[in-house]
Structures are given as structure tokens and as C-alpha cells.
Amino acid sequence: MSNTIQDEKEQQQQQIEYSAEAVDYDTVVSSLAAQDRVPWYKKPNLRKLYLLFIGSVLCVETTSGYDASVTNGLQSVPLWNSYFHNPTGTILGLIGSMYALGAILSVPFVPHIADRFGRKFTTQLGCLVICIGACLQTASQNRGMFMASRAIIGIGITPAIVGASNLISELAHPKERARLGSLFNAFFFTGSSLAAIITIATFRMKSHWAWRIPSVFQILPALVTLTFIQLIPESPRWLISKNRDSDALAILVKYHAEGDEHSEFARAEFSQIKQTLALEKELAKQSWGALIATRGNRRRALIAAFLGLATQWSGNGLISYYLSPILVNVGITDSLTKQAINLSITLWGAMTAFTIAFFSTRFPRRKVYLTCTISILTVFVIWTAASARYSATGSKSWSGLVIALIFIYQPCYNMAFNALSYAYLPELFPYQIRTRGASVFQWFSRAALFLNTFVNPIGMKNAGWKYLCSYCVFIAFEIVFIFFLFPETHGKTIEELAFLYEGDTHHEQARRVQNHKDDADRVLEEEHA
């Protein structure tokens, strides 16, 4: 009996000490995570998980980068142009925009698939569709078949990205979650660099394999993902939502606590997820209507829609898809020179994206976004002026300045729109509507990409340098939007941000999580029974 009383006193003392350290619910898991001084690469299980991320979920965004760069590169391949009857203006815009159109069509179905069948299945399904589209693109016999194949690739990219990005945010340790989300978008440049290298290696071939080889390699990232995703676990948040508590806790214990079943952190994280999901389920159902049901969700959806537009309408679409016409407008017409510049820009983009991804998440999100948009606007204003001067004088110095500004643009854009988008989105949305929030982002991103890829060649052909002014106006609007509407989310877990705009709900949330040990202990007892 005396031992039992002593044990109870020790437990009470531990709870008091824990409460003193954690201060309040808002910092329960993040405070415990901050106390962990052991880096991820010294934790065998977590290190293995993150290395498997490279070949599985991180590799998904490689497909997007590959598509953008291969579309760009093929425009400088003479045999591709002749085979498809030298597309320009509207026709070239349609060819470029079919990928985005396919992505738009699949958006309404993705949340239902991801929430019912899981994040892994959704990613696998998307990659299988991408493989089918890439095979058809390689075998294209006419312009219509080529455009249809690009639409099929687009249909596959949305479920692949939504599933993979959510797996990253829901599987990663809280200490590395934001950085891994940042790295996800950086892998765009591994795809664009790969496509640029393959295109420059084949464009002088005398057969139509000059453009078919770059097309067939589009299947590669999807095949890599399908292979390695088998080796990573499902999202513990999805498992808890399906009442598979023991499976979820086992994953958290294995990867976030290196197998220590008595880990305070793993049990606190498990309970935080479980109780937060339960409260979310009471407040909002998994439906599209939930996005507009409350003032907080409407604001979340507005920011997701804005981010989707901003990631495509900040000038990056010009460089990613239509670099060739831009170079022609400043007097560069040689195919080899255009291919070399395309390759240089993609490699530079990869270097800056990966470097920035390791540092940008250390800073407050809102400040990084503001710095990004202000620097982009500065670059575009000078770019527009330099293009105007080249048009008036034909001077090579102005042409060189335009090319230099394209290189300067890359780190400015990557600072936030590349590095933070997939880290920031999971922080904004609670689990119950997280896939729908990601789908809103994808829909507006692909809609903006569709309009971009369709309108850009027409605008550049008809308006020349004056077309750049439209981007200057929209980027200026971005600065105003971010300044007034972006919340700060830096330094907290995604559960601690679940009720970002619902202040009154925090009290109920905190009450439920106070006895966080009990839930985890019960699950462990049932598992060992």
C-alpha cells in the first residue's frame, strides 16, 4: 500500500513538473520537442524515415518540375516544332495549359480519396496515372494525342501532391516538419534540372526520339515514388481518424521516440493528435461546406486560394514554361544558346531552392513572405524597364541585364513561394479539412497555371515587354494581401495551430489534453494484453 501511495505521489510530482515546463496547452508538444537536443541524423529510426522520404514523398514534386522544364525545352527542339506544325500563340498556349487543365479536373475528388483510403494510396494512385500519361505522351502521333497525354499527367499530379505533402506534414517529427515541407517544393528543381539535361542531350538527334526520349523519362520520378513509398508508414493522424490508435501510437513511438514506449513526448503527441481530432470532428465534418461554414475557415480558404494564385502569377510561369519566347524577345534565337540558358537557370534554381529550404523555416512566416514579394516586385520592375530599353535600342547590354534579372529572380521567388508553401498550408488547416485546404490551393494554383500557360504566349507575342506590367501590378497586390491577412504560425505544432482562428475552442482543447498520459497508457496496455 505504501508503495502505491509513493507511486501516486511521484506521478503527481511529475505532472506538476511537466505542467511547469509546458506552461499551457499551446506549448505542450512544442516545448517537449524544443527540449530534445539530439539531432535527427543521430536517431536511427528517424534518420531512416527521412532518407526514405527522398525516394518517396519528396520525389513527387520532381514530376511537376520535370513537366515545366520539358515543356520549356521542347520548344527549342526543331523536330518537335516541325512534328507538331510549329505551334505558336494560342496553339502553343493550349499545349502548355493541358497539364493544368487535367489537374483542375481531378481536384474535387482528391480529398474524398485521401480521407477515405489514406495518404499513401492517394499518392500511389496519382503516380500510376502519371505513368500512363507519360507513356501516351512518348507515343504521341499527333498534336491532339500529345495534348490529351499532358491532361492525363495533370489529372495524376494533384492526388500525388496532396497525398505526399500531407504525409510529410503528418509523419515528420515536429522539429523537422516545416523544413521537410520546405524541401518538398525544392524538389521541383530536381525535375526541371533533369529535364533540361536530357533535352539538351537529345535535341540535336536526327530522329523524333529527340523529343520522345525527354517524354519517356517523365515516368521516372513516379516510378521511384511507387517503389519507395511502400517502405514508409501511413499518416498516424489518418490512422487515429480511422480508430486505429495502436497502429498510430506505434508509429509515433518508433519514429518520434526511437522505440521508447515510455517516452513522455510520444504519449503527449499521441494524445494531442487524438483529442484535437475528436474536437475537430465535433465542430466540423469532412465536407467542402466546412470550408465556408465558419469565419476562421473562410479566412483559411481565402489564404489557400491566394497562395495558389500567387505561386503561379508571380512571374515564375514565364520562366518555367516560356523561357524560349522571352529569350527571343531580347534577341537570343540560337537553339543551343537557349538550351544552355534553360539548363543554367534550372541548376541555379535547384541550388538556391535547396539552400533556402534549410534556412527559411527558421524565421517568422509572414516576414519571409513579405521579403519575398517585395524583392520579386523590385526585380520585375527593373526587368520590365530593361526589356523596354532593349525593344527601343536593341542593345545587348539591356538583353544581358534581362538574363541577369532572371537569375536574380530565382532566389527571390524561392525564399517563400517555393520554400514555405507546403510548410505553411498544413499549419493553417485542421486535420478534418486539411486535404480540402490543400485541394483549394491546388485548384487555384492549377487554374492560374492554366490561364498563365494559355495567355502568356499570346501576351508576349502581341504586347511584348508591356505584358510584364501585368505581373508588376499583381505582385504589388500580393504585398498588400500578405501584410493584412497572413497569420503568423512559426514555432508551433500543427495540432497547436488547429484552432488558430477559434480562440474560445482552446479552453476545451486544453482541458481534454491535460491527462495526455492516460490515452497512450491505455493503448499500450491493450496492445500488450
Side-chain angles (χ1 to χ4, degrees):
M1 178 67 71
S2 60
N3 290 337
T4 303
I5 294 173
Q6 182 64 29
D7 290 341
E8 290 178 353
K9 288 182 177 179
E10 289 180 358
Q11 289 178 358
Q12 290 174 358
Q13 182 62 32
Q14 288 174 358
Q15 184 66 36
I16 292 170
E17 292 174 357
Y18 171 77
S19 299
E21 291 176 355
V23 180
D24 56 34
Y25 166 74
D26 285 345
T27 58
V28 169
V29 174
S30 56
S31 292
L32 288 173
Q35 295 170 28
D36 181 5
R37 303 299 183 184
V38 181
W40 65 269
Y41 51 83
K42 291 186 177 180
K43 299 176 180 179
N45 291 343
L46 197 60
R47 181 175 66 238
K48 180 182 177 181
L49 177 66
Y50 290 169
L51 290 175
L52 289 172
F53 271 7
I54 296 173
S56 54
V57 287
L58 290 172
C59 192
V60 167
E61 187 65 9
T62 303
T63 300
S64 291
Y66 192 99
D67 181 85
S69 186
V70 80
T71 303
N72 210 348
L74 290 179
Q75 294 172 49
S76 300
V77 177
L79 282 173
W80 182 85
N81 279 291
S82 62
Y83 192 84
F84 293 109
H85 311 295
N86 298 303
T88 58
T90 303
I91 299 300
L92 182 59
L94 279 173
I95 291 174
S97 62
M98 293 306 292
Y99 170 81
L101 178 61
I104 293 170
L105 294 175
S106 63
V107 164
F109 308 100
V110 173
H112 300 286
I113 298 170
D115 291 336
R116 181 172 182 180
F117 299 105
R119 282 44 171 147
K120 284 181 64 174
F121 176 84
T122 306
T123 306
Q124 292 167 322
L125 178 63
C127 288
L128 284 172
V129 175
I130 290 169
C131 289
I132 294 171
C135 290
L136 290 174
Q137 180 172 307
T138 304
S140 293
Q141 300 299 306
N142 52 56
R143 186 186 290 166
M145 187 174 178
F146 189 86
M147 292 168 67
S149 67
R150 287 186 46 71
I152 293 172
I153 294 172
I155 289 172
I157 197 62
T158 302
I161 287 179
V162 171
S165 61
N166 278 282
L167 259 178
I168 291 171
S169 64
E170 295 173 8
L171 261 178
H173 191 286
K175 286 174 63 177
E176 292 86 35
R177 176 190 52 77
R179 185 171 297 171
L180 286 166
S182 181
L183 283 171
F184 178 74
N185 227 14
F187 271 75
F188 176 96
F189 290 98
T190 63
S192 61
S193 299
L194 177 63
I197 292 169
I198 293 172
T199 305
I200 201 170
T202 61
F203 87 103
R204 283 182 168 176
M205 294 176 68
K206 302 302 181 183
S207 71
H208 288 293
W209 284 106
W211 63 268
R212 293 190 192 275
I213 289 177
S215 295
V216 76
F217 267 90
Q218 192 152 359
I219 201 174
L220 183 61
L223 287 177
V224 172
T225 296
L226 287 171
T227 301
F228 282 93
I229 201 170
Q230 306 293 334
L231 305 177
I232 67 173
E234 180 56 89
S235 160
R237 285 145 177 96
W238 182 81
L239 292 171
I240 290 174
S241 74
K242 299 301 179 183
N243 298 316
R244 293 170 57 181
D245 290 3
S246 60
D247 293 336
L249 181 56
I251 292 170
L252 294 174
V253 167
K254 179 178 180 179
Y255 294 106
H256 292 189
E258 291 300 306
D260 180 10
E261 292 184 348
H262 302 290
S263 165
E264 186 78 38
F265 177 79
R267 289 185 287 167
E269 189 179 21
F270 170 81
S271 184
Q272 188 184 62
I273 295 170
K274 183 175 175 62
Q275 300 297 353
T276 301
L277 293 188
L279 186 54
E280 284 181 34
K281 195 171 184 179
E282 291 177 16
L283 297 175
K285 295 182 178 180
Q286 290 176 316
S287 66
W288 285 108
L291 287 174
I292 58 173
T294 66
R295 181 179 179 182
N297 284 350
R298 288 192 292 272
R299 186 169 177 180
R300 291 181 177 100
L302 178 63
I303 294 172
F306 166 82
L307 275 176
L309 296 176
T311 53
Q312 299 298 335
W313 282 355
S314 297
N316 54 308
L318 283 171
I319 300 170
S320 298
Y321 284 87
Y322 297 111
L323 180 62
S324 181
I326 290 174
L327 296 177
V328 170
N329 283 346
V330 291
I332 299 172
T333 57
D334 178 68
S335 293
L336 179 59
T337 303
K338 288 191 288 185
Q339 292 283 4
I341 293 174
N342 181 42
L343 176 59
S344 299
I345 289 173
T346 54
L347 291 175
W348 170 243
M351 290 172 57
T352 57
F354 279 100
T355 301
I356 290 170
F358 283 101
F359 297 103
S360 63
T361 54
R362 297 181 181 181
F363 303 99
R365 312 288 192 248
R366 186 170 169 274
K367 289 183 179 179
V368 175
Y369 271 110
L370 283 171
T371 304
C372 168
T373 47
I374 291 171
S375 61
I376 287 175
L377 179 60
T378 303
V379 169
F380 248 86
V381 168
I382 301 173
W383 180 352
T384 303
S387 297
R389 293 306 301 158
Y390 175 81
S391 177
T393 66
S395 171
K396 289 185 178 181
S397 60
W398 292 113
S399 174
L401 178 58
V402 169
I403 296 172
L405 287 166
I406 292 173
F407 278 87
I408 295 170
Y409 172 90
Q410 294 284 40
C412 296
Y413 176 89
N414 291 341
M415 188 188 309
F417 289 126
N418 185 277
L420 291 184
S421 293
Y422 288 101
Y424 193 55
L425 278 172
E427 296 172 346
L428 290 176
F429 287 91
Y431 174 85
Q432 296 293 331
I433 57 172
R434 186 166 295 141
T435 56
R436 283 166 176 76
S439 296
V440 168
F441 169 79
Q442 286 294 317
W443 193 92
F444 278 89
S445 175
R446 303 306 170 179
L449 179 60
F450 175 80
L451 186 62
N452 251 358
T453 49
F454 180 70
V455 172
N456 278 341
I458 301 172
M460 287 185 290
K461 182 179 179 180
N462 295 333
W465 67 267
K466 296 177 183 177
Y467 182 64
L468 299 175
C469 295
S470 62
Y471 282 98
C472 295
V473 173
F474 187 78
I475 297 168
F477 164 74
E478 291 175 3
I479 297 171
V480 176
F481 187 100
I482 292 168
F483 183 83
F484 287 104
L485 291 177
F486 268 37
E488 187 52 68
T489 60
H490 179 254
K492 292 188 178 182
T493 69
I494 51 178
E495 271 69 46
E496 291 166 359
L497 291 163
F499 302 103
L500 179 67
Y501 296 117
E502 295 83 8
D504 293 342
T505 312
H506 275 287
H507 300 295
E508 175 64 13
Q509 192 182 22
R511 184 187 68 79
R512 296 187 182 196
V513 182
Q514 281 176 352
N515 297 320
H516 67 274
K517 293 180 180 179
D518 297 340
D519 292 317
D521 288 342
R522 177 182 54 78
V523 173
L524 288 171
E525 288 173 3
E526 291 175 355
E527 187 176 353
H528 292 306

